[in-house]
């Protein structure tokens, strides 16, 4: 849907050719580009399941593309004239054409006019992330712009905390650092009441540990060592306990460096450092066989 919205703007307002469908299958309606039918199915699902459309990214995108289709003449005028300031179409056009300076100026002007300047750094940080990911559709940025323009954006700290830990676990330090900047900026602007002081320490510790793993590597042969086993962790839990519980929190006094060293040898165990009310705790997570190498962990925090 995001790509379709992008294509409409890139093509100067050419609408996608749709095939009408009467079947009550959302994926089929989207595949046929029958977005009106898709929105009807989505609304019925939300009603039956008591889903708030403001919390559903899919609902927001379906509403957005239907609004574009319903107002395509206006959209075409905006694209042709490029005169209406601070419009969503201008922002999309600048962004997809790589005109970052023009995009930044337009975004700054729009946010100031609508009293939303507090979101400027958030959007620009998402532009950085999409650029690093080589996402030519700028999916993260486009979704955020859609929510802000439609006045449906509510800053959810837990979502960005999850993204921070997820990229940290994957050793994507450049992206994790940007999410950390987003969290610290959000805290400074009172977007949420979650403590973020310890996140910087966790990030720096992870980066430092990664550097140690690759420092001093030479072509010289070194004696092989016996690989660690789960029992070498010397914790009051067995591997069966971890498999059963999926996640275990270790005691406060564990040697974090030693735990990392042992877990590095274990194929089915992941190690995480999390911040709970300013205190760094160590978590172990059991990695399912079909799980990717970079395991993410989501924490619901009050």
């Amino acid at each position: 849907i995001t790509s379709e919205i992008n294509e409409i703007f890139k093509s100067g307002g050419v609408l996608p050719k749709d095939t009408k469908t009467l079947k009550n299958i959302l994926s089929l309606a989207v595949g046929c580009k029958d977005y009106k039918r898709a929105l009807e199915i989505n609304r019925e699902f939300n009603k039956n399941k008591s889903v708030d459309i403001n919390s559903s990214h899919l609902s927001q995108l379906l509403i957005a593309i239907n609004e574009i289709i319903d107002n395509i003449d206006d959209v075409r005028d905006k694209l042709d004239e490029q005169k209406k300031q601070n419009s969503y179409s201008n922002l999309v056009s600048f962004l997809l054409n790589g005109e970052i300076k023009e995009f930044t100026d337009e975004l700054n002007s729009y946010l100031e006019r609508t009293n939303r300047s507090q979101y400027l750094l958030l959007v620009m940080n998402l532009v950085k992330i999409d650029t690093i990911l080589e996402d030519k559709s700028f999916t993260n940025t486009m979704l955020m712009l859609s929510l802000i323009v439609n006045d449906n954006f509510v800053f959810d700290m837990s979502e960005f905390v999850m993204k921070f830990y997820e990229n940290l676990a994957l050793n994507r330090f450049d992206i994790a650092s940007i999410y950390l900047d987003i969290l610290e900026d959000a805290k400074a602007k009172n977007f949420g009441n979650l403590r973020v002081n310890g996140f910087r320490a966790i990030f720096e510790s992870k980066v430092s540990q990664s550097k140690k793993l690759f420092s001093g590597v030479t072509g010289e042969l070194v004696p092989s060592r016996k690989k660690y086993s789960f029992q070498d962790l010397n914790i009051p839990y067995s591997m069966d306990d971890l498999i059963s519980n999926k996640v275990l929190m270790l005691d406060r006094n564990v040697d974090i460096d030693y735990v990392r060293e042992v877990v590095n040898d274990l194929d089915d165990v992941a190690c995480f450092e999390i911040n709970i009310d300013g205190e760094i705790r160590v978590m172990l997570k059991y990695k399912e066989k079909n799980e990717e190498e970079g395991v993410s962990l989501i924490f619901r925090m009050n």
Side-chain angles (χ1 to χ4, degrees):
I1 297 172
T2 300
S3 297
E4 200 70 70
I5 293 175
N6 291 342
E7 192 58 34
I8 291 173
F9 285 107
K10 287 173 65 177
S11 64
V14 177
L15 293 178
K17 295 181 180 179
D18 65 309
T19 303
K20 301 299 181 182
T21 178
L22 298 177
K23 292 186 177 181
N24 194 34
I25 303 176
L26 179 60
S27 59
L28 179 61
V30 173
C32 292
K33 300 183 179 182
D34 188 356
Y35 295 112
K36 291 189 179 299
R37 178 61 181 150
L39 182 58
E40 291 173 0
I41 296 171
N42 179 252
R43 281 174 170 166
E44 187 64 24
F45 174 87
N46 291 341
K47 180 180 178 181
N48 293 336
K49 300 295 183 179
S50 299
V51 177
D52 181 3
I53 63 169
N54 293 328
S55 65
S56 170
H57 292 171
L58 176 59
S59 297
Q60 294 301 318
L61 287 173
L62 286 171
I63 291 172
I65 195 168
N66 274 283
E67 287 181 350
I68 292 171
I69 292 172
D70 291 340
N71 300 281
I72 193 61
D73 290 336
D74 292 336
V75 172
R76 287 166 180 161
D77 290 341
K78 293 173 186 176
L79 290 173
D80 290 339
E81 298 175 1
Q82 291 288 302
K83 292 180 179 180
K84 185 177 181 181
Q85 298 180 354
N86 310 314
S87 68
Y88 183 63
S89 59
N90 279 340
L91 290 170
V92 171
S93 178
F94 286 138
L95 187 60
L96 296 180
N97 289 327
E99 301 173 78
I100 302 302
K101 182 182 183 304
E102 290 78 2
F103 170 80
T104 305
D105 292 342
E106 185 81 0
L107 177 65
N108 191 36
S109 177
Y110 169 77
L111 294 177
E112 283 187 359
R113 182 170 62 86
T114 57
N115 297 317
R116 295 167 177 165
S117 296
Q118 68 271 28
Y119 297 137
L120 177 63
L121 288 179
L122 170 60
V123 175
M124 293 311 301
N125 275 321
L126 292 178
V127 171
K128 291 180 185 177
I129 291 172
D130 284 333
T131 301
I132 293 173
L133 294 175
E134 298 183 357
D135 181 355
K136 295 181 180 179
S137 294
F138 288 89
T139 305
N140 291 296
T141 310
M142 288 282 289
L143 178 58
M144 184 60 63
L145 284 175
S146 177
L147 293 173
I148 292 175
V149 168
N150 290 301
D151 201 24
N152 290 324
F153 175 65
V154 177
F155 192 92
D156 182 359
M157 291 283 279
S158 63
E159 176 183 351
F160 291 96
V161 169
M162 179 195 74
K163 295 285 189 181
F164 167 70
Y165 278 118
E166 184 178 66
N167 284 279
L168 198 60
L170 292 169
N171 289 335
R172 292 176 179 166
F173 300 130
D174 49 356
I175 298 179
S177 175
I178 296 173
Y179 278 116
L180 179 56
D181 290 340
I182 290 175
L183 286 168
E184 291 180 337
D185 181 64
K187 183 61 178 178
K189 293 174 179 175
N190 296 317
F191 286 168
N193 57 7
L194 182 67
R195 295 185 182 180
V196 299
N197 296 340
F199 288 4
R200 179 68 62 179
I202 290 175
F203 174 77
E204 292 175 354
S205 174
K206 178 70 173 179
V207 172
S208 176
Q209 181 64 22
S210 179
K211 289 180 179 179
K212 288 179 182 179
L213 289 175
F214 293 97
S215 65
V217 177
T218 68
E220 300 177 2
L221 294 176
V222 296
S224 61
R225 64 171 178 81
K226 179 183 177 182
K227 291 187 67 174
Y228 286 111
S229 66
F230 188 87
Q231 289 74 18
D232 292 319
L233 285 169
N234 297 321
I235 58 176
Y237 304 104
S238 66
M239 188 63 191
D240 289 338
D241 293 329
L242 180 59
I243 293 174
S244 175
N245 291 281
K246 305 299 183 184
V247 176
L248 293 174
M249 180 180 289
L250 303 187
D251 292 338
R252 291 178 172 81
N253 59 351
V254 298
D255 186 333
I256 297 178
D257 291 333
Y258 177 71
V259 171
R260 289 199 206 101
E261 185 178 349
V262 174
V263 170
N264 190 52
D265 278 352
L266 307 180
D267 294 331
D268 48 2
V269 181
C271 172
F272 296 87
E273 295 166 45
I274 68 169
N275 179 287
I276 300 179
D277 293 333
E279 180 183 31
I280 298 177
R281 299 293 297 273
V282 179
M283 303 285 292
L284 297 181
K285 184 180 187 303
Y286 175 64
K287 293 163 60 176
E288 304 288 351
K289 290 183 179 180
N290 61 346
E291 218 166 345
E292 294 182 0
E293 185 64 25
V295 184
S296 64
L297 194 58
I298 305 172
F299 293 94
R300 297 292 181 184
M301 299 185 182
N302 187 330

